[in-house]
Amino acid sequence: MAPEKEKKKPRVTRNPELIKGIRKYSKSKMYHKRGLSAIKKQNDGAFPDHEGKPAERKPEEKPPKFYPADDVKKPLKNKRKHKPTRLRDSITPGTVLILLAGRFMGKRVVFLKQLPSGLLLVTGPYRINGVPLRRVSQAYVIATSTKVDISGVNVEKFEDKYFSKKSDKKKNKKDANEFFDAEKPEKQKFPQEKKDDQKTVDAALIKSIESVPDLKAYLGARFSLKDGMKPHELVF
Amino acid sequence: MPFKRYVEIGRVALVNYGKDYGKLVVIVDVVDQNRALVDAPDMVRSQINFKRLSLTDFKIDIHRIPKKKKLIEALEAADVKNKWENSSWGRKLIVQKRRASLNDFDRFKIMLTKIKRAGLINQELAKLKKVEAVS
């Protein structure tokens, strides 16, 4: 429609509720307040009868072919929605984290954001310590109190889907011959666009890292417990 | 070896156990063989066992159980705070506190400076050794 239909104001009742269940005006009073006698007068002594909406034609349901012998209880629908894991207060975008497990154990790494699955998105930066854009669990991380300025970095596009493995839809049915052939799974090349993503994210980060003296060397070094260090007494 | 630090009214002591650990307090009265009445500008006057106190070299001039105001004045007059912070014991405690509060990044920076310093020292040592070897 050319002229935009104005939003209908919701109908408000002019009969205030004094206390739960008891309103101020009686039925007859409300009859007069609403001017129902005037409406009747306009419509020849009776309330106008509006035609309802034409009944929607429901598609014809065929009677089921099978009736189960016993009544089977249907389980209730689960409408719970997942919230991402609660992020520790010490972890904010730009915090330097120490990874505690996995291939990059001991590496000091910059935290970017928390993904909807609850995992933390983290980057080395790659040029500094070889840690790429990676997902990491909060439980396997120590948060230090060192923060890096992360304002120049755009991490909007990274979600959990970005990190999922690409599965071959066609599962090759192996012949007997192929089993005996030398296994050469084709090594998938690391996609160039992921390399470019890494570069763009790291470019801004490295600039802010280099502005702090010694921070680059700090991120390049691994953390380890030395003699006399008591983890429960250390301030990270 | 005679004793040098005595329990007396006005003796400044360090609390070494309990809720007030690390505080400098002044002995203002002796309760009995084991306990003293102790006071400090930032705490309520209370009794404490002598075993929880480490006596320091400092003593201030007060009467038995002075009012808080008098106590503070006496502490200022004797300049206990500065003397304590300049004494070797006091300085040690300050350094310990500083070390305990170091960040992971701070520790890393300290490691780098230690290495650097050792390098410089070794350079000088090498030079001296050279001189020694020649002569």
Side-chain angles (χ1 to χ4, degrees), chain A residues 98 108 145-146 213 217-218 221 223 234-236, chain B residues 100-109 111-112:
Chain A
I98 300 176
R108 295 169 172 123
S145 46
T146 319
Y218 174 62
F223 170 83
L234 286 180
V235 167
F236 282 100
Chain B
S101 70
L102 283 177
N103 201 343
D104 188 43
F105 188 26
D106 292 334
R107 269 176 261 133
F108 181 78
K109 285 190 273 191
M111 177 193 66
L112 292 182

Side-chain angles (χ1 to χ4, degrees), chain B residues 74-90:
Chain B
L75 280 169
E76 292 285 306
D79 201 18
V80 168
K81 190 162 186 282
N82 285 328
K83 286 210 190 122
W84 173 249
E85 285 172 5
N86 293 328
S87 70
S88 60
W89 186 357

Side-chain angles (χ1 to χ4, degrees), chain A residues 101-114:
Chain A
R103 188 172 162 207
F104 301 107
M105 188 161 44
K107 293 268 190 192
R108 295 169 172 123
V109 124
V110 178
F111 169 67
L112 297 176
K113 76 170 187 179
Q114 185 182 32

Side-chain angles (χ1 to χ4, degrees), chain B residues 16-129:
Chain B
N16 58 28
Y17 184 93
K19 190 170 61 97
D20 301 312
Y21 179 83
K23 274 208 191 134
L24 275 184
V25 293
V26 178
I27 297 177
V28 296
D29 197 4
V30 171
V31 175
D32 61 12
Q33 191 193 356
N34 297 316
R35 287 176 297 158
L37 192 62
V38 127
D39 203 355
D42 58 345
M43 73 183 248
V44 176
R45 194 196 301 150
S46 57
Q47 58 91 14
I48 190 170
N49 193 318
F50 287 120
K51 291 187 179 178
R52 293 193 177 193
L53 294 176
S54 300
L55 303 179
T56 67
D57 286 327
F58 305 114
K59 179 174 178 304
I60 64 174
D61 194 15
I62 50 169
H63 287 300
R64 191 176 72 95
I65 317 182
K67 295 244 191 284
K68 205 66 149 212
K69 216 169 61 161
K70 285 254 155 69
L71 177 69
I72 294 175
E73 282 172 13
L75 280 169
E76 292 285 306
D79 201 18
V80 168
K81 190 162 186 282
N82 285 328
K83 286 210 190 122
W84 173 249
E85 285 172 5
N86 293 328
S87 70
S88 60
W89 186 357
R91 275 184 287 139
K92 250 191 278 176
L93 288 187
I94 291 174
V95 169
Q96 277 175 15
K97 242 190 226 166
R98 179 80 185 97
R99 285 202 182 138
S101 70
L102 283 177
N103 201 343
D104 188 43
F105 188 26
D106 292 334
R107 269 176 261 133
F108 181 78
K109 285 190 273 191
I110 284 178
M111 177 193 66
L112 292 182
T113 29
K114 276 193 182 170
I115 291 173
K116 214 173 180 185
R117 185 175 76 159
L120 291 174
I121 292 175
N122 283 330
Q123 269 184 0
E124 289 301 318
L125 183 62
K127 283 190 210 161
L128 289 174
K129 280 194 180 164

Side-chain angles (χ1 to χ4, degrees), chain A residues 223-234:
Chain A
F223 170 83
S224 69
L225 282 179
K226 310 259 171 34
D227 233 0
M229 281 176 136
K230 298 174 194 158
H232 67 295
E233 284 181 358
L234 286 180

